[in-house]
């Protein structure tokens, strides 16, 4: 049952508890108050000590922001001839294996960080040569001119496979002496007695579903640092805890999100136009559902295209399925001809931040700071966040370096507090860029929806460049936006044809997703009665539609009448959509064993 699953899931953090007390760590919200009868018996010859290591800086997350921070720190250390130990942990089995993005890269931050990236072989092989923007109706396309200065203009940008760029950044970091630890999932934030962040602990491995230690059981390790950078990506599970502990969202709007789904296709070479960028809004979404598509022609020696669909998670109809909207979009007369006769070779999905300027939380706290897509620096109308994420990591490094290398630093807390990072960010081009576009995303919340937002963008951004003296608010959390199913019309989706559109499970198979089967599930329920009593009863079980990996399904109970929620955790692609969109906020995503999850190859 789900109640058993929830109890078992808790056992992984619970089994750390004796060691936490022994080593002098204060109990935290993951372990405090857990009934003693739930503690597993791990005293039967199992080593309970947890190895601890010291570094100057620990970085959680091997994405663009974390790697940019690591590289900049070591660049500064080499320049000033200082010894500096920088350790980076990444839950994916390889650097870049969990990275998914469109991606059309604005290279400004990369050029700042590594000016000779071309000579070093950075995988930026496809400069944008053609920009196309469309409003789609069910059967037709309305072309929209991309005027100079509009955020969708891509002149000077590159179409890339983000996982390949991240892998390359990892190589640059290692060359400089950064210690990379892929396959290690940061599961816990450690604190000093004064409440400041001390570092992180990776999760224990070799725990069975029932909470018992397997023959391969190993304790996680602790990494302590003067300062810890949290760059987990969108909706990081450690950042969630930090928001609460340090009240970091006290003075900002709630974050709002979207789900992005992506495929890579090998197409007929006659249809291949390397450097062509296509974006669209409109069909198949209605005017009040935010979203759109992309289709990029890569130039990597083979006729490859990257295509995807983004749906704002503030949608209101519980019958909407982002995955099936994506599959339906591919049949549009403007899109399908490109794909006909081609072969789909990759699939994946990931949530992305859309709150922008209004939703940036407090970024610093004693012992740590937030970088990249964890706090959320995406420029939504540009559909780009890599350049801002990288710049945030670089600014963090530049603020940290003089503090961690100072010989006689007077700090009020054991973990260093570095408010200079936030000040540097506010004085940078990142802040100016996000401020200028701050009203574009929330402007779509009007009677005319998409079209009202486009008119607003044309008038107030293109003419005034975001200098209007007002700032719109978002409409609250995405989880609170769903209407009851009885108020909405079910959506009839066409069946996939197996040529252009596909079913969910065959799609997940292309993501390379794999988790160790005999481990505590990483998708936990706070109350196992809520899915049927509330989500199914009121919203017709939206988790079975908003999940892009088939993790959640309602099935008949084994005995008697009724339904229960079945969680197929092994399918999870780590997109975090369930944790964001669940209307009951009953699902809590935690890290599985390191190395589990998708195995994206250059997504």
């Amino acid at each position: 049952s789900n109640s058993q699953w929830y109890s078992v899931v808790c056992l992984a953090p619970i089994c750390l508890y004796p060691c936490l007390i022994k080593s002098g760590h204060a109990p935290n919200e993951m372990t405090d108050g857990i009934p003693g009868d739930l503690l597993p018996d791990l005293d039967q010859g199992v080593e309970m000590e947890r190895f601890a290591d010291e570094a100057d800086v620990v970085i959680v997350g091997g994405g663009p922001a974390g790697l940019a921070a690591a590289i900049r720190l070591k660049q500064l250390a080499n320049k000033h001839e200082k010894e500096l130990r920088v350790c980076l942990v990444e839950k994916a089995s390889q650097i870049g294996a969990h990275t998914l993005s469109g991606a059309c890269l604005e290279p400004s931050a990369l050029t700042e960080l590594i000016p000779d990236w071309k000579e070093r072989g950075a995988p930026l092989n496809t400069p944008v040569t053609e920009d196309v923007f469309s409003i789609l109706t069910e059967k037709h396309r309305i072309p929209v001119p991309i005027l100079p200065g509009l955020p969708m203009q891509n002149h000077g940008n590159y179409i890339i496979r983000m996982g390949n760029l991240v892998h390359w950044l990892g190589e640059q970091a290692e060359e400089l002496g950064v210690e990379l630890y892929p396959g290690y999932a940061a599961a816990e934030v450690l604190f000093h007695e004064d409440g400041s962040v001390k570092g992180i602990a990776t999760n224990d491995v070799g725990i069975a579903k029932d909470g018992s230690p397997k023959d391969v059981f190993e304790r996680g390790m602790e990494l302590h640092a003067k300062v810890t950078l949290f760059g987990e990506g969108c909706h990081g599970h450690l950042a969630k805890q930090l928001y609460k502990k340090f009240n970091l969202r006290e003075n900002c709007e709630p974050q709002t999100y979207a789900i992005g789904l992506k495929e890579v296709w090998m197409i007929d070479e006659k249809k291949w136009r390397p450097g062509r960028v296509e974006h669209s809004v409109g069909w198949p979404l209605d005017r009040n559902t935010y979203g759109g598509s992309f289709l990029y022609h890569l130039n990597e020696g083979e006729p490859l295209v990257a295509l995807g669909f983004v749906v704002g998670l503030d949608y209101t109809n519980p019958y909407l399925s982002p995955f099936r909207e994506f599959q339906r979009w591919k049949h549009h007369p403007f899109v399908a001809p490109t794909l006909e006769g081609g072969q789909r070779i990759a699939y994946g999905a990931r949530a992305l931040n859309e709150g922008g300027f209004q939703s940036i939380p407090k970024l610093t706290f004693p012992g740590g700071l937030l970088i990249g897509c964890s706090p959320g620096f995406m420029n939504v109308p540009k559909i780009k966040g890599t350049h801002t994420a990288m710049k945030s990591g670089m600014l963090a490094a530049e603020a940290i370096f003089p503090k961690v290398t100072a010989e006689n630093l007077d700090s009020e807390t054991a973990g260093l507090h570095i408010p200079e990072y936030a000040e540097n960010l506010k004085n940078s081009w990142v802040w100016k860029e996000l401020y200028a576009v701050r009203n574009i995303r929330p402007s779509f919340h009007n009677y005319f929806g998409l079209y009202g937002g486009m008119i607003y963008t044309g008038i107030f951004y293109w003419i005034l460049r975001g200098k209007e003296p007002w700032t719109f608010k978002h409409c609250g959390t995405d989880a609170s936006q769903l209407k009851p199913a009885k108020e909405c019309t079910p959506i009839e989706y066409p069946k996939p044809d197996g040529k252009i559109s596909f079913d969910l499970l065959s799609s997940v198979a292309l993501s390379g997703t794999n988790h160790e089967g005999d481990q505590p599930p990483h998708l936990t329920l706070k109350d196992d009665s809520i899915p049927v009593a509330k989500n199914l009863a009121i919203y017709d079980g939206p988790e079975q539609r908003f999940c892009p990996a088939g993790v959640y399904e309602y099935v008949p109970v084994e005995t008697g009448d009724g339904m229960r929620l079945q969680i197929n955790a092994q399918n999870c692609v780590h997109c975090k959509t369930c944790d964001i969109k669940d209307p009951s906020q009953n699902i809590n995503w935690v890290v599985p064993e390191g190395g589990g999850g998708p195995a994206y190859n250059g997504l």
Side-chain angles (χ1 to χ4, degrees), residues 1-2 5 528 531-532 536 552-559 561-568:
S1 76
N2 288 321
W5 283 9
D528 67 341
V532 171
L536 184 61
Y552 301 95
E553 57 180 329
Y554 284 91
V555 299
V557 295
E558 286 77 7
T559 56
D561 297 327
M563 305 290 281
R564 66 177 179 87
L565 178 65
Q566 179 166 299
I567 301 178
N568 306 309

Side-chain angles (χ1 to χ4, degrees), residues 104-323:
C104 192
L105 177 73
E106 185 173 314
S108 51
L110 177 62
T111 301
E112 285 184 40
L113 181 66
I114 306 175
D116 59 344
W117 56 263
K118 286 184 181 179
E119 292 75 14
R120 288 179 168 271
L124 278 65
N125 305 314
T126 313
V128 174
T129 58
E130 192 179 357
D131 233 341
V132 177
F133 191 82
S134 311
I135 298 174
L136 300 183
T137 64
E138 186 172 357
K139 299 293 184 183
H140 300 95
R141 166 186 175 255
I142 303 168
V144 177
I146 301 177
L147 301 172
L150 284 176
M152 292 299 295
Q153 190 179 45
N154 282 294
H155 178 73
N157 295 336
Y158 291 80
I159 303 168
I160 67 166
R161 298 171 72 175
M162 186 60 70
N164 292 348
L165 176 62
V166 167
H167 185 79
W168 179 84
L169 286 172
E171 293 174 343
Q172 308 310 301
E174 279 194 309
E175 259 184 49
L176 289 165
V178 177
E179 297 177 35
L180 302 181
Y181 296 99
Y184 288 83
E188 179 186 357
V189 183
L190 305 176
F191 299 96
H192 291 284
E193 289 185 2
D194 63 6
S196 61
V197 171
K198 183 176 187 177
I200 58 94
T202 63
N203 55 4
D204 293 353
V205 296
I207 300 175
K209 274 187 178 182
D210 64 2
S212 63
K214 296 187 285 189
D215 292 341
V216 294
F217 173 80
E218 288 184 13
R219 291 303 319 270
M221 68 176 293
E222 297 185 6
L223 278 171
H224 304 165
K226 298 173 183 175
V227 62
T228 304
L229 282 66
F230 295 88
E232 302 168 277
C234 175
H235 206 66
H237 88 290
L238 295 183
K240 275 176 56 181
Q241 298 171 33
L242 293 166
Y243 289 144
K244 292 179 182 178
K245 179 173 177 62
F246 295 106
N247 205 14
L248 301 178
R249 303 206 68 91
E250 181 181 17
N251 297 312
C252 70
E253 290 273 308
Q255 185 61 262
T256 184
Y257 302 88
I259 174 69
L261 305 103
K262 179 182 177 181
E263 295 176 351
V264 176
W265 282 62
M266 184 93 69
I267 63 167
D268 185 337
E269 197 161 351
K270 296 173 185 174
K271 303 172 183 178
W272 183 38
R273 301 171 71 170
R276 179 179 169 94
V277 166
E278 301 175 21
H279 292 102
S280 78
V281 294
W283 188 88
L285 301 178
D286 63 35
R287 74 173 192 272
N288 292 312
T289 302
Y290 187 86
S293 74
F294 64 88
L295 196 158
Y296 303 152
H297 291 248
L298 290 149
N299 187 14
E300 299 192 354
E302 296 177 302
L304 295 176
V305 294
L307 59 148
F309 203 78
V310 176
V311 179
L313 287 177
D314 56 353
Y315 68 82
T316 59
N317 187 342
Y319 293 110
L320 187 146
S321 164
F323 173 81

